[in-house]
């Protein structure tokens, strides 16, 4: 087992960065958020580094319940599959969901949408959460968990007033469940289960 809880280190670093960002002036804060954002304008301009940088910045400090849930999900992923796997799944899901949203929005002419700030941990979190369904017991429990998570993520997408971030969360969860199904196929009953 890895002695360094990398998920907690990551979440703590993001939270510390959010508090530091709050102390900058409004203009500098806005510039940093726009520079690190995976919005349509940045990606259309070839600023692909934002696919990584946007996962390390949040607009404001994370609420404590969410931060603790993030640490718990990443911590269990590290425990069950290892730190490299957890980080890879997180970053892959973050980038994949971002690119799916970008693909859907790149033809938009609405400047508010094209320049919207799109940073944070939620796409990676949803991916890792979805992928961890493979650690549940096979059969009904695993299926109900997958369907339930997808239903929870789909609810904001079908309501009035939805945002592209809502669609991104659903996409990220779908990517995670895709990883989970791949794990099921590749490893059979050999991977660790939630005790």
């Amino acid at each position: 087992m890895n002695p360094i809880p990398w998920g907690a280190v990551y979440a703590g670093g993001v939270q510390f960065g959010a508090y530091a960002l709050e102390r900058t002036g409004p203009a500098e804060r806005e510039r940093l958020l726009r520079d690190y954002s995976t919005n349509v304008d940045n990606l259309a301009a070839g600023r692909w580094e934002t696919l990584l940088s946007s996962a390390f910045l949040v607009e404001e400090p994370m609420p404590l319940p969410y931060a603790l849930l993030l640490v718990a999900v990443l911590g269990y992923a590290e425990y069950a599959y290892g730190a490299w796997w957890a980080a890879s799944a997180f970053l892959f899901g973050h980038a994949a969901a971002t690119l799916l949203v970008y693909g859907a929005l790149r033809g938009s002419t609405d400047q508010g949408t094209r320049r919207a700030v799109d940073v944070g941990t939620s796409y990676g979190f949803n991916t890792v959460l979805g992928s961890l369904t493979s650690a549940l017991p096979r059969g009904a429990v695993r299926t109900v968990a997958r369907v339930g998570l997808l239903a929870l993520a789909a609810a904001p997408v079908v309501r009035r007033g939805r945002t592209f971030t809502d669609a991104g969360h659903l996409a990220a969860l779908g990517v995670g469940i895709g990883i989970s199904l791949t794990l099921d196929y590749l490893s059979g009953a050999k991977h660790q289960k939630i005790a």
Side-chain angles (χ1 to χ4, degrees), residues 21-174:
L21 190 62
E22 281 189 332
R23 297 192 173 281
T24 63
E28 179 65 8
R29 179 181 180 277
E30 183 70 15
R31 185 191 68 75
L32 283 169
L33 287 170
R34 297 238 178 251
D35 285 352
Y36 281 66
S37 179
T38 50
N39 60 36
V40 174
D41 281 355
N42 278 348
L43 292 176
R47 299 200 56 225
W48 298 107
E49 72 278 3
T50 61
L51 286 173
L52 180 62
S53 65
S54 61
F56 292 90
L57 190 68
V58 291
E59 290 184 69
E60 56 192 34
M62 296 177 285
L64 184 59
Y66 175 76
L68 292 175
L69 188 59
L70 175 64
V71 169
V73 166
L74 293 178
Y76 187 77
E78 284 183 58
Y79 167 76
Y81 302 113
W84 282 110
W85 184 93
S88 298
F90 184 97
L91 292 173
F92 174 75
H94 176 81
T98 297
L99 290 173
L100 287 168
V101 168
Y102 168 68
L105 295 177
R106 69 180 179 180
S108 173
T109 56
D110 177 72
Q111 285 305 307
T113 299
R114 293 185 64 84
R115 299 192 71 237
V117 171
D118 191 17
V119 296
T121 63
S122 60
Y123 290 0
F125 166 80
N126 277 285
T127 300
V128 174
L129 181 64
S131 68
L132 285 179
T133 60
S134 66
L136 294 169
R138 285 187 182 272
V141 171
R142 196 178 296 186
T143 301
V144 167
R146 288 172 175 158
V147 171
L149 285 171
L150 286 170
L152 285 172
V157 174
V158 298
R159 80 177 192 302
R160 195 167 262 185
R162 66 186 171 267
T163 66
F164 68 81
T165 303
D166 296 326
H169 292 157
L170 179 59
L173 189 64

Side-chain angles (χ1 to χ4, degrees), residues 171-187:
L173 189 64
V175 169
I177 290 176
I179 291 170
S180 174
L181 292 169
T182 302
L183 284 173
D184 289 355
Y185 176 76
L186 294 176
S187 61

